[in-house]
Amino acid sequence: MTAVPSGPQFDVACLGESMVTFVPSQPGSLADVPAFHRGIGGAESNVACALARSGHSARWISRVGGDGFGDHLIRAVAATGVDVTAVQRDADRPTGIYFKEQLADRTAVLYYRAGSAAAAMSPETVHRRDAWSGRILHLSGITAALSPECRALMRSLVTREPGRPLVSYDVNFRPALWGTGDDPWLLAELARGCDIVFVGEDEAQDAWGLADAAAIRTALPEPAVLVVKQGSTGATAFTGDTATFVPALAVDVVEPVGAGDAFAAGFLSATLRGLPLADRLRHGHVMAAAALTVPGDLGTPPARAHADALVALGEDAWGTLRLGPGWTDRAGGTDRVAGTEPAGQSDRVGQTDRAGRTEKDR
C-alpha cells in the first residue's frame, strides 16, 4: 500500500464488497416468485451508508465489475452521501449479486459472488492513502473469506503501526463463505489487531466454540473495546476487564438482514461523538431497530435528535419501549413511541424481537 497523507479526510472509511440484491416481490420459494426488486447490500457499505445518512462523512472502498451492476452499486451508495472515489472498476471480473428467499420460517440468501471483482482486492490494489483516509477504518471478516488476496489485505490493514486510524472490525462469520480447509480462527487473529471489535455471541460459538461473552473476552483481550452482541437479550461491551451491558429494544421485525451492520453504525456514530460507552450501545440498538423494521438491508436512520431522546430514556422507559415499521418517519415520534407504545402494545403487527441481534445470512 502507498503512503498515507496527514490528517483524515472522512469520519469513517469502510472497506469491503457490496453486491446488488434481489428481493422477492412476495414470500415463497425462488421457483415460485414472479418478480424481484433490485437493491444493494454489503456489510461495510451498509455501515458507510447508515453513517452518511446520520450526518457523518463516510467513504466506501471496494472493487466492482465494469458492468451495469457495478454502475448501479456506485450510484446507489453515492446517493446516500457516501464518497465512492476509492471504488475501483474491474473489466475482467463481475460485480457480485445475491437473491433473498423469504420462506415461512426464515429468510435465506443465495450468493453469486465467486470470482467477483471485490475478491481481487489486495495489498497491491488498495492504496493506504484511501484505507487511512478516515478517523475510523471499518472492516469485516467477510472480506477475509473472499480470496487469499483479500486475506493478505486484511492482515496488512490490522497490523498495528504508527499513524494508522482507529480500526473497527465486525467478525461477521459466514459459514457458507469458508471452505472445509479454512480455519475460522483467522477471524480471531484479525480481531486481535483491531481497536473496536463487534462479534455475535452465536457466531463466536459457531466459529470458535466460545460459549459466552466472558469467554470471548478471555480469547480476545487485545481490542480496546470488544462488543458482544447477544441477540434479543442485548449487548455487552468490554473495556479492559470492565463489562457494560445494555438490553436490546423490543422491535416488530420485518427483516433481520442488515441489523448487525446498523448496530455497528450506531455504535461508531456515538464513538465519533465521544459519547459514554452505555450510550454507544444504546445508539447501536436504536440504529438496529431502524434496519429491523424495513424489508431491505438499509433502514432510514432516525434524526439525531430523535435517536438522542430515545437513548436518554430512563431504564424503565427503555425497557418498555417497542418500535414498529415506520417509527423513524413519525412526526414527533419520540414522545409518541416512548409514551404510548410500551412493549406488548405496539400498533404495528409483526414478529416481535429485539434490536442488536446478529444476522448470519449475508
Side-chain angles (χ1 to χ4, degrees), residues 100-162:
K100 289 186 179 181
E101 187 174 33
Q102 296 176 347
L103 305 174
D105 59 341
R106 62 189 175 90
T107 297
V109 176
L110 287 82
Y111 297 104
Y112 297 86
R113 73 196 307 178
S116 69
M121 290 190 295
S122 71
E124 290 70 41
T125 62
V126 174
H127 303 298
R128 177 173 288 184
R129 64 174 180 271
D130 295 327
W132 284 18
S133 61
R135 293 167 59 192
I136 295 175
L137 169 62
H138 181 69
L139 307 169
S140 163
I142 293 173
T143 303
L146 297 180
S147 68
E149 293 82 5
C150 283
R151 294 187 190 193
L153 172 62
M154 288 291 291
R155 285 192 171 101
S156 70
L157 292 173
V158 303
T159 299
R160 297 184 185 274
E161 55 184 300

Side-chain angles (χ1 to χ4, degrees), residues 292-347:
L292 286 165
T293 50
V294 298
D297 283 18
L298 297 174
T300 299
R304 180 170 291 182
H306 188 174
D308 285 347
L310 293 178
V311 168
L313 291 173
E315 289 187 12
D316 289 343
W318 177 267
T320 58
L321 179 66
R322 179 172 172 177
L323 301 173
W327 72 270
T328 61
D329 300 324
R330 297 175 187 173
T334 299
D335 293 338
R336 180 172 181 272
V337 171
T340 66
E341 293 186 2
Q345 300 180 26
S346 173
D347 60 0

Side-chain angles (χ1 to χ4, degrees), residues 245-322:
F245 172 78
V246 171
L249 290 167
V251 177
D252 293 333
V253 175
V254 173
E255 166 61 65
V257 176
D261 305 328
F263 181 95
F267 188 94
L268 293 178
S269 173
T271 298
L272 287 162
R273 295 169 61 195
L275 299 183
L277 188 59
D279 287 359
R280 299 180 197 185
L281 289 169
R282 281 196 171 194
H283 273 283
H285 289 315
V286 168
M287 193 76 84
L292 286 165
T293 50
V294 298
D297 283 18
L298 297 174
T300 299
R304 180 170 291 182
H306 188 174
D308 285 347
L310 293 178
V311 168
L313 291 173
E315 289 187 12
D316 289 343
W318 177 267
T320 58
L321 179 66
R322 179 172 172 177

